[in-house]
Amino acid sequence: MALFETKAYLKDKIGKLAAANETLLNYLKRTNELLPDQYQSVNFYIKETAALESDVMEYTHKSRKSIKILIQ
């Protein structure tokens, strides 16, 4: 059950991060000016993406482990 909850959490987080990145990307397409707020957003999204990647890798590891247990 925990893997399903984790999957839902990761899926939601991916969607929110993708939407935020899309908003920032649209702003950057309209202007070449990167304001301090947008600069902070870029740094935040980079950190969030790295954390999300780590969470996805952990989820993948746990799900593979669970599958191996079920197969045995």
Side-chain angles (χ1 to χ4, degrees):
M1 193 64 170
L3 286 175
F4 290 107
E5 292 170 356
T6 303
K7 180 182 176 183
Y9 165 78
L10 291 173
K11 190 174 179 180
D12 182 56
K13 194 168 182 178
I14 289 169
K16 287 179 181 177
L17 189 56
N21 284 336
E22 184 70 27
T23 300
L24 183 59
L25 188 62
N26 287 335
Y27 170 80
L28 292 173
K29 286 179 181 178
R30 289 191 309 266
T31 181
N32 290 332
E33 185 178 353
L34 188 61
L35 300 175
D37 287 346
Q38 284 76 28
Y39 179 76
Q40 288 176 338
S41 292
V42 168
N43 285 331
F44 175 77
Y45 296 141
I46 289 171
K47 290 176 186 174
E48 284 292 304
T49 301
L52 181 58
E53 180 181 11
S54 176
D55 290 346
V56 168
M57 294 301 290
E58 183 179 335
Y59 169 79
T60 302
H61 177 72
K62 286 180 182 178
S63 64
R64 285 183 182 166
K65 196 174 182 181
S66 294
I67 291 171
K68 285 181 182 180
I69 291 170
L70 289 174
I71 292 173
Q72 296 175 354

